[in-house]
Amino acid sequence: MQTLYNFVSGPLVWLSFMIFIGGSLYRLISMAVLAKKKDPLVYVYMDWYYALRSIFHWIIPFGSENMKKRPVMTLVTFVFHICLIGIPIFLFAHVILWEEAWNISWWFISDPVADIMTLAVIASCIFFLVRRLVLPEVRYLTSYSDFVILAIVAVPFITGFWAYHQWFGYRLMLILHILSGEIMLAAIPFTRLSHALFFPVTRGYMGSEFGAVKNAKDW
Amino acid sequence: MAEPALKEESREIFDEGLNRGIEKLTSEKIEQVINAVLEDETGARLKVYVDTCVHCGLCSEACHFYVSFREPRFSPAGKVKQTLWEMLKKKGKVSPEFIRRASEIASTECNLCKRCSMYCPFGIDVAYLMLVVRRICHKLGVTPQYIQDTAHSHSATFNQMWVKDDEWIDTLMWQEEEAQDEIPDLRIPLDKEGADVFYSVIGPEPKFRAQLIYQAAVIMDAAGINWTMPATPGWDNSDMCMYTGDNEMMGRLKKAHFESAMRLKAKRIVMGECGHAFRSIYDMGNRWLAWQMPPIPVTHAIEFYYELFREGKLKIARKYETPVTLHDPCNIVRGRGLHEMARYVVNEVCEEFVEMHPNREHNFCCSAGGGVINCGPPFRNKRVEGNKAKADQLFDAKARGAKTLIAPCHNCHGGLEDIIHHYGLGLELKFLGDIIYECMEKGQGSEM
Ligand code: SF4
Ligand code: SF4
Ligand code: SF4
């Protein structure tokens, strides 16, 4: 168990960060190069002002018509994404790890708050799962990989919650927690989780087309 | 109101172009064409759109087809799933029957109206993806018959309606004569060099709606505009080739159009009330010809009327009394943001304006656009039943008093006419120009 723990919390951390950072750069750069070659118009019509204007409307809650039309989905989506990104970075236990390894540290969230946020992520994942199964228009688009991706995101939070509360078998859970966190990180560039990388690009481009050429809003 | 009896029946729609088209296909040919288009003509945009889509279905409510039928296969992403996702997954190894369905979906179940890009959080451009599918089907020779015939007319005559060169000139002279009964010194200046305004229309105007040219001439005359219309091919600003995926022909058409304006050394192109023609000149054709923006300024009729009223060049004798509502055509609203100008003009000419909801950029498409109405009778029922959303919207405006529906776009007219009729809405349909002509002070400008 100890060797396994050392392995997932040592070399694998390095590996997952390398895959995440390297992979993300690779995906973004290779797309930029491909766009230059095959879709040069993207560069011609990209307009920073209008790109940011559109992105801004889509990252504030209820900033677009569609978000106003689906308040529950909007709320869940925002809570989910904020917690999803916030917890791994600002969790006390994680900040400590950074401090021990690199002697750097930053602000952290208190454990009870983190607990609630974790539950929020898990609840959101259940919401997304149910939505996927129940709404015909979402179900229609769903492939089996969508469930895998949802699981990749949910498992680190479930296992983390488990381990923190030191329930039955929590040592194993801790290992699973670290491992699944690493899998999630490494999966970002190479699965549909890459929407996180490409959101600013696709939204920004549509914002530019609408704003600069078509003189219209796109939210 | 009839429940759409569509469900499985759409598979059975017989179309000469689609059904005969696939008879000639082999699986090698399909594979080769799909991969060639995907390899050579698309790149990062298509890849990113396909990879980024998180299958969330949030775009569904944007599409009038989905809103009307409530069937997942009519949602924007649902259409991509049935076409491009499958082609990519199978690396082009799909059956002729698949291509038939793909062509039908891309050409008759999507108006390329871009409303979904405003509902997808990522701004995924489903209209662009459907155009790629149309392009593939075009290269495979599987395009609905009626629109393909129009595209043939474009290639043979450079106009959409097989209008012969002399018929075009005849029509203009005939309209000039007619108008002279009303305003004796009115002219429709043909092929005049150095005019401020080069006025262009779509093929169906001389063919079926010649009175629109008459009305435009009266407006130009009253406003004292130095204008001209070309006497040569290139006069037609419409473009169905843009919608069949025949990009080469789209380029030739736009080149002819721009060049006829330039040959006459006109200062700008002003075009009649048409949405898709505007998209072709302002957004797509110019790009194919490698012009970032059109090589010569392009003004849509709405913007032109707006200027004329703003500058006091047109005056209203008495305002139009019947309460009106306004349909915002996608191609000039989501495509050019002319909605506020349209409202300015409507308020100048009409006593009472009733908004329909949703409106402006969020207006629902008429379901005729994107070449769908041009695919003809076989797909008519699907198009009309697929826009119950529009009928509801119109019914609501009517309930709040609107009696006349203004649609400043030719295709919208066709589509809305069918919707009004099918759902028994009893609204009167007009162009903005119809109302301006009816209410304006005529014949005072007339300096040439
Ligand atoms: S018709 Fe309009 S909203 Fe529907 S898929 Fe096509 S572009 Fe999107
Ligand atoms: S809203 Fe966008 S991401 Fe979601 S299914 Fe539709 S196209 Fe895909
Ligand atoms: S016909 Fe009119 S409403 Fe319909 S797509 Fe064209 S511009 Fe839009």
Side-chain angles (χ1 to χ4, degrees):
Chain A
M1 197 84 120
Q2 193 58 35
T3 22
L4 191 60
Y5 177 83
N6 287 343
F7 181 63
V8 294
S9 63
L12 273 193
V13 178
W14 280 98
L15 189 67
S16 68
F17 267 93
M18 267 153 45
I19 297 178
F20 167 58
I21 295 170
S24 299
L25 286 175
Y26 166 76
R27 290 274 291 160
L28 287 169
I29 293 171
S30 63
M31 279 302 167
V33 171
L34 185 62
K36 190 92 216 165
K37 213 166 100 194
K38 291 287 186 52
D39 291 310
L41 90 170
V42 171
Y43 291 89
V44 175
Y45 292 100
M46 198 59 127
D47 179 298
W48 288 107
Y49 170 75
Y50 289 110
L52 290 173
R53 185 179 78 158
S54 174
I55 292 169
F56 176 74
H57 276 95
W58 283 91
I59 56 170
I60 54 167
F62 302 99
S64 75
E65 277 299 308
N66 205 11
M67 287 191 225
K68 289 175 204 151
K69 282 211 175 110
R70 302 161 178 270
V72 179
M73 177 68 179
T74 305
L75 211 67
V76 174
T77 313
F78 274 92
V79 168
F80 169 75
H81 281 95
I82 290 167
C83 296
L84 178 75
I85 300 169
I87 298 173
I89 302 178
F90 298 112
L91 186 77
F92 179 62
H94 288 183
V95 176
I96 291 292
L97 289 174
W98 284 95
E99 184 156 24
E100 282 172 359
W102 296 86
N103 204 18
I104 46 170
S105 75
W106 50 78
W107 178 85
F108 54 85
I109 33 187
S110 73
D111 282 356
V113 175
D115 236 23
I116 295 170
M117 288 170 75
T118 307
L119 286 176
V121 172
I122 297 169
S124 309
C125 287
I126 295 171
F127 175 86
F128 292 141
L129 177 69
V130 171
R131 188 176 176 275
R132 215 169 252 305
L133 293 173
V134 170
L135 295 187
E137 77 270 27
V138 191
R139 205 193 160 104
Y140 184 73
L141 300 173
T142 299
S143 57
Y144 126 96
S145 64
D146 292 304
F147 296 113
V148 176
I149 290 170
L150 200 55
I152 290 180
V153 175
V155 171
F157 290 86
I158 298 171
T159 51
F161 191 77
W162 191 298
Y164 172 75
H165 288 278
Q166 311 216 334
W167 293 337
F168 163 75
Y170 71 90
R171 279 177 195 287
L172 177 67
M173 275 304 162
L174 185 61
I175 293 176
L176 286 179
H177 169 67
I178 301 172
L179 189 66
S180 59
E182 288 159 350
I183 291 176
M184 175 167 88
L185 210 52
I188 291 174
F190 302 107
T191 62
R192 262 193 293 291
L193 293 176
S194 65
H195 70 267
L197 305 174
F198 289 115
F199 166 77
V201 185
T202 53
R203 188 78 258 165
Y205 181 67
M206 198 36 84
S208 306
E209 280 272 3
F210 266 72
V213 182
K214 302 175 169 80
N215 193 24
K217 301 183 302 185
D218 67 328
W219 56 84
Chain B
M1 257 171 243
E3 261 295 297
L6 204 85
K7 303 262 163 179
E8 284 309 295
E9 170 202 317
S10 73
R11 271 164 226 285
E12 291 148 32
I13 291 179
F14 180 84
D15 180 275
E16 198 79 26
L18 299 181
N19 291 56
R20 296 268 182 278
I22 60 169
E23 282 171 10
K24 287 169 255 158
L25 292 180
T26 61
S27 40
E28 295 78 51
K29 167 101 177 155
I30 295 175
E31 190 182 344
Q32 182 255 321
V33 167
I34 291 180
N35 290 323
V37 171
L38 294 180
E39 259 308 299
D40 304 338
E41 302 186 23
T42 70
R45 264 197 304 167
L46 185 116
K47 248 181 141 50
V48 170
Y49 286 153
V50 171
D51 291 353
T52 303
C53 174
V54 291
H55 306 174
C56 65
L58 285 173
C59 49
S60 312
E61 296 288 334
C63 185
H64 47 283
F65 276 107
Y66 177 80
V67 173
S68 305
F69 287 134
R70 290 274 153 209
E71 272 188 62
R73 68 186 168 103
F74 287 104
S75 75
K79 295 169 205 178
V80 187
K81 173 193 155 110
Q82 294 169 81
T83 54
L84 270 180
W85 289 1
E86 217 38 42
M87 292 182 191
L88 285 164
K89 201 161 84 191
K90 302 220 166 109
K91 301 203 163 45
K93 290 193 184 60
V94 294
S95 67
E97 189 43 44
F98 178 92
I99 293 295
R100 192 204 163 283
R101 233 341 250 162
S103 182
E104 183 179 346
I105 292 168
S107 305
T108 74
E109 294 174 11
C110 173
N111 298 95
L112 313 177
C113 75
K114 290 202 194 248
R115 194 169 189 265
C116 45
S117 303
M118 307 171 62
Y119 284 72
C120 167
F122 301 95
I124 289 176
D125 193 348
V126 173
Y128 162 74
L129 298 177
M130 288 299 113
L131 271 172
V132 172
V133 176
R134 290 187 188 188
R135 174 74 171 162
I136 290 171
C137 295
H138 161 72
K139 290 204 147 187
L140 287 168
V142 185
T143 299
Q145 170 88 341
Y146 277 80
I147 192 169
Q148 187 56 52
D149 177 70
T150 325
H152 286 327
S153 169
H154 274 307
S155 347
T157 66
F158 274 73
N159 71 71
Q160 199 194 117
M161 290 277 130
W162 303 99
V163 177
K164 295 199 192 92
D165 294 355
D166 57 339
E167 284 172 355
W168 162 245
I169 296 171
D170 262 5
T171 309
L172 296 183
M173 293 176 73
W174 163 49
Q175 287 307 310
E176 183 182 67
E177 254 173 53
E178 294 272 305
Q180 281 169 351
D181 286 347
E182 192 179 3
I183 300 157
D185 57 357
L186 179 140
R187 296 294 315 274
I188 296 182
L190 275 188
D191 246 14
K192 177 172 135 184
E193 271 194 17
D196 294 333
V197 166
F198 170 98
Y199 187 63
S200 68
V201 297
I202 65 171
E205 285 205 18
K207 195 90 177 176
F208 307 120
R209 287 171 172 163
Q211 88 281 2
L212 290 177
I213 298 175
Y214 173 131
Q215 291 173 6
V218 172
I219 291 173
M220 295 288 183
D221 174 75
I225 303 296
N226 176 8
W227 70 301
T228 186
M229 291 183 88
T232 53
W235 56 265
D236 181 4
N237 53 28
S238 76
D239 187 351
M240 279 304 134
C241 298
M242 159 175 81
Y243 285 151
T244 59
D246 188 349
N247 298 342
E248 290 77 8
M249 203 45 228
M250 165 177 78
R252 288 178 62 205
L253 289 171
K254 290 313 104 173
K255 194 156 186 277
H257 189 61
F258 291 137
E259 282 179 354
S260 45
M262 287 165 152
R263 177 176 60 80
L264 294 177
K265 304 186 177 65
K267 297 217 173 59
R268 63 167 161 167
I269 296 172
V270 171
M271 46 186 293
E273 293 177 50
C274 182
H276 92 271
F278 185 80
R279 179 188 196 142
S280 162
I281 298 178
Y282 179 76
D283 188 14
M284 293 185 57
N286 56 310
R287 292 187 188 196
W288 182 263
L289 296 171
W291 287 90
Q292 182 178 354
M293 296 308 267
I296 164 168
V298 173
T299 311
H300 185 270
I302 289 185
E303 193 178 349
F304 188 61
Y305 301 148
Y306 170 81
E307 281 174 25
L308 298 183
F309 282 111
R310 259 330 257 274
E311 293 164 11
K313 289 187 175 156
L314 272 188
K315 297 208 172 50
I316 290 302
R318 85 189 150 77
K319 281 195 169 185
Y320 186 77
E321 278 165 14
T322 320
V324 299
T325 185
L326 171 73
H327 167 77
D328 288 292
C330 330
N331 281 324
I332 52 169
V333 169
R334 272 191 286 288
R336 185 60 181 132
L338 297 184
H339 40 278
E340 297 307 338
M341 291 186 193
R343 279 163 181 73
Y344 178 91
V345 176
V346 169
N347 284 316
E348 281 292 301
V349 262
C350 303
E351 289 281 4
E352 196 185 336
F353 171 47
V354 183
E355 279 285 5
M356 66 170 83
H357 298 284
N359 55 46
R360 299 180 166 84
E361 285 102 331
H362 287 273
N363 185 34
F364 278 117
C365 166
C366 64
S367 203
V372 173
I373 195 172
N374 309 74
C375 293
F379 304 98
R380 185 185 165 280
N381 286 346
K382 182 162 61 175
R383 162 169 63 81
V384 177
E385 286 168 7
N387 211 353
K388 191 173 163 301
K390 189 90 235 168
D392 292 344
Q393 205 186 357
L394 294 178
F395 189 76
D396 170 62
K398 188 186 170 180
R400 286 181 290 111
K403 293 205 167 58
T404 297
L405 167 60
I406 301 177
C409 162
H410 276 276
N411 277 354
C412 302
H413 253 250
L416 294 172
E417 214 165 86
D418 288 338
I419 287 172
I420 290 172
H421 182 76
H422 180 84
Y423 295 95
L425 289 169
L427 286 163
E428 193 184 8
L429 189 59
K430 284 190 185 288
F431 286 99
L432 212 38
D434 292 331
I435 298 184
I436 296 176
Y437 168 77
E438 202 178 311
C439 301
M440 64 190 269
E441 288 178 7
K442 298 187 183 91
Q444 77 278 36
S446 62
E447 122 256 348
M448 296 278 297

